[in-house]
Amino acid sequence: MWHKLLMVGVLASSAGACCAQAQTRMPDMQLAGVVPRNSAEQFELAFWESIKDSTHVSDYEAYLKAYPKGRFAALAQARIARLRAAAPGAVAAPPRVKEAPARPAPTTATAAAPAAVPARTAPAKAGAEIKDCPACPLLVSLPAGSFTMGNNASDPSETPAHPVTIGAPFAIGKTEVTVQQWNACVTARACPAVAQPAGTTATAPVRDVSWDDAQQYVKWLATASGKPYRLPTEAEWEFAARGGTATAYWWGAQMQTGKANCKECGQPWSDAAPASVGSYPANPYGLHDTSGSVWEWVSDCWHNNYKDAPADGRAWDGPNCRVRVIRGGSWREGSAYMVTSTRFKYDASVRQLQNGFRVARSLR
């Protein structure tokens, strides 16, 4: 039944000449390609494509919250009713939103360093590990340095590739913030309690947290440690994630299995949850899970591309900004999202099951 309802929504938004073709290939259809890129319709279609096979009531509730009169609203309501009937004792999780863009599979061109700007890497290796307080995440100190941010052969939002200079050393989380570390803030009554799925371990990355939630955490961490904790800027995040490399992935020009926690990155992998932090190899700077695991909030406001982006590594903010950048992909994404330049956006107040973060602080 839901396949038929989905077909109605797709046909309603497509030209009549496309109907027969859409009907024959609907189950594998890439919905984001039906409408103009970065349009409101594209985001709705990409959202639905990302949840249409979900077994979680909250995913469909999130769709209805974002698109109460959307083209798949009736189907979402039907799915909710069916799932609740199958599990009458289940309690729905807080609403969450997923807006994943369609992303082309990596190609040889994508794997190469951007040709328009000479690749420049950091001149020094990562430094010491830092532990500022018992509850603080372990940090790795990184040197100042220059690199090429973005990718001219990938998603348009990653263009233009441009030189960035990080003028001062800084420290960034060796891993994403864990459930245990988040709960220390909850115990201190400085962070909201965010329910994690059943079976989540203390060493799993905390997820379903918003940008606003992450801001509460870094504020508490700064008070607890006496150090200037914050979210990394987008430029700092990519500088750290590249680990001094200039290739599409921190491990090289081509995708390799066993390097990241994603659905096409090799076993072990589970659709239900990401692995514990640090389960996969670290990049050359000693940082784990910069590709896959959970999407990571950074401090910057979302811009559709890097035109006029700052070249000094500072956060690129904006007035009354409510849409913030997330980086790195998640365990539910495929290998195309593991490219180090991958970026997307979320409303700062929205909690989503695939979103987490890592912390940073200045060293001066």
Side-chain angles (χ1 to χ4, degrees), residues 120-126 140 142-143 146-148 170 172 235-252 282-288 290-291 340:
R120 299 194 294 167
T121 60
K125 294 182 179 180
V140 175
L142 300 185
S146 298
F147 75 110
T148 297
F170 67 101
I172 192 167
E236 288 174 337
W237 188 95
E238 187 167 325
F239 176 82
R242 289 188 177 279
T245 69
T247 48
Y249 312 92
W250 64 256
W251 54 82
N283 75 3
Y285 278 169
L287 308 179
H288 295 272
T290 55
S291 295
T340 307

Side-chain angles (χ1 to χ4, degrees), residues 45-361:
L45 291 170
F47 185 159
W48 180 259
E49 179 70 10
S50 72
I51 68 163
K52 66 183 178 64
D53 297 318
S54 176
T55 58
H56 302 285
V57 167
S58 54
D59 285 333
Y60 300 102
E61 290 178 330
Y63 171 82
L64 291 172
K65 181 179 179 180
Y67 303 102
K69 297 181 180 180
R71 66 183 65 197
F72 305 117
L75 178 54
Q77 291 167 350
R79 291 286 285 169
I80 289 171
R82 183 186 305 174
L83 290 169
R84 284 179 173 163
V91 178
R96 50 181 68 105
V97 177
K98 178 60 181 169
E99 294 180 354
R103 185 177 180 86
T107 63
T108 301
T110 301
V117 181
R120 299 194 294 167
T121 60
K125 294 182 179 180
E129 293 184 350
I130 301 169
K131 183 79 168 175
D132 288 320
C133 69
C136 291
L138 187 64
L139 306 179
V140 175
S141 64
L142 300 185
S146 298
F147 75 110
T148 297
M149 183 174 181
N151 190 334
N152 287 336
S154 189
D155 189 275
S157 72
E158 300 165 25
T159 63
H162 57 290
V164 173
T165 296
I166 307 295
F170 67 101
I172 192 167
K174 186 178 180 71
T175 70
E176 296 147 340
V177 173
T178 67
V179 171
Q180 182 179 34
Q181 290 161 351
W182 178 267
N183 285 341
C185 183
V186 175
T187 300
R189 298 184 179 181
C191 290
V194 178
Q196 301 294 295
T200 301
T201 65
T203 56
V206 68
R207 50 198 176 103
D208 216 1
V209 291
S210 68
W211 187 89
D212 292 336
D213 293 333
Q215 292 297 320
Q216 289 184 255
Y217 180 82
V218 294
K219 181 179 179 180
W220 167 75
L221 207 57
T223 300
S225 67
K227 303 294 183 180
Y229 276 87
R230 54 182 173 78
L231 290 179
T233 70
E234 186 175 13
E236 288 174 337
W237 188 95
E238 187 167 325
F239 176 82
R242 289 188 177 279
T245 69
T247 48
Y249 312 92
W250 64 256
W251 54 82
Q254 303 296 332
M255 182 62 195
Q256 297 178 20
T257 59
K259 298 293 188 181
N261 187 196
C262 86
K263 70 178 180 181
E264 295 171 352
C265 295
Q267 297 300 323
W269 175 81
S270 170
D271 175 68
S276 294
V277 299
S279 296
Y280 290 78
N283 75 3
Y285 278 169
L287 308 179
H288 295 272
D289 306 316
T290 55
S291 295
S293 188
V294 292
W295 287 97
E296 300 181 19
W297 290 109
V298 295
S299 59
D300 298 44
C301 185
W302 171 260
H303 296 81
N304 288 334
N305 54 53
Y306 289 134
K307 182 181 179 181
D308 301 323
D312 59 2
R314 71 180 186 275
W316 193 10
D317 218 331
N320 303 313
C321 176
R322 294 306 302 163
V323 180
R324 299 286 172 171
V325 178
I326 51 175
R327 295 298 303 256
S330 84
W331 87 100
R332 281 188 172 178
E333 265 73 59
S335 59
Y337 286 80
M338 301 303 105
V339 175
T340 307
S341 55
T342 296
R343 64 194 296 261
F344 199 54
K345 60 184 177 180
Y346 250 87
D347 187 286
S349 64
V350 170
R351 292 175 178 167
Q352 204 281 328
L353 195 62
Q354 292 166 242
N355 294 349
F357 66 104
R358 74 179 69 216
V359 299
R361 75 167 176 85

